[in-house]
Structure formats: structure tokens, C-alpha cells
Amino acid sequence: MSTAEIKTALHQLVDEMNSEKKLTAMMKSAAEIAFDIEEVNWGSLTVAQKKSIEQGLDDAKNGRVTPHEEVMKKYSKWLKK
């Protein structure tokens, strides 16, 4: 399966899912996958940047997130062309 096919399949899976609990779990997993803390070049970051990253990861891990739909609604005025 190509990268494009995998992306399409994942998008379809998310679009068809209606369980907030499952979507939140997927978002937590995706956040951990997308930002593997071990890949960060910590030496190039300031202390404030490191703290901010760690706080964001902790928030995602503990479900302190805002659903995409809510964010899009709030910031839609800036996204219109």
C-alpha cells in the first residue's frame, strides 16, 4: 500500500468514526506518533521551548485537548480566503 493510499484509508476511517472516545484515543496516539520526543534535537531548544513541548505532550496524553471541529469553528474566520 502506498503512502497516499494509507493516508486516504486513515482519512476515511476518521471521517466514518462517530465515537468521541475512540477519536480522542486516536488523537492521543497520533500525537505521540507524530512527535516522538526522542527525535527532538533538545540541544537546539530553549528551556521555555522544552517545557512547552513537554506540557503539550502531557496534555495530549491526558486528554486535555480541543476537538478539531471546535477549533475550526473558532478560527474559521481566519481560514476563509
Side-chain angles (χ1 to χ4, degrees):
M1 191 178 263
S2 71
T3 301
E5 291 169 325
I6 294 169
K7 287 180 180 182
T8 299
L10 285 170
H11 284 257
Q12 185 175 355
L13 179 65
V14 170
D15 287 343
E16 293 173 356
M17 192 172 293
N18 293 316
S19 167
E20 186 174 336
K21 184 177 179 179
K22 288 180 182 179
L23 286 167
T24 300
M26 286 179 77
M27 186 168 21
K28 287 181 199 176
S29 296
E32 290 177 11
I33 292 167
F35 191 83
D36 184 349
I37 201 160
E38 297 302 319
E39 294 179 9
V40 174
N41 180 358
W42 286 102
S44 67
L45 300 176
T46 66
V47 171
Q49 289 170 323
K50 291 174 189 176
K51 284 182 181 179
S52 180
I53 290 167
E54 289 168 351
Q55 180 63 52
L57 290 171
D58 186 62
D59 287 343
K61 212 178 257 184
N62 291 295
R64 294 184 301 264
V65 295
T66 303
H68 177 74
E69 188 175 281
E70 189 177 317
V71 173
M72 294 305 289
K73 201 179 290 183
K74 183 175 181 177
Y75 295 103
S76 65
K77 60 186 169 189
W78 289 293
L79 299 173
K80 294 179 183 173
K81 291 182 180 185

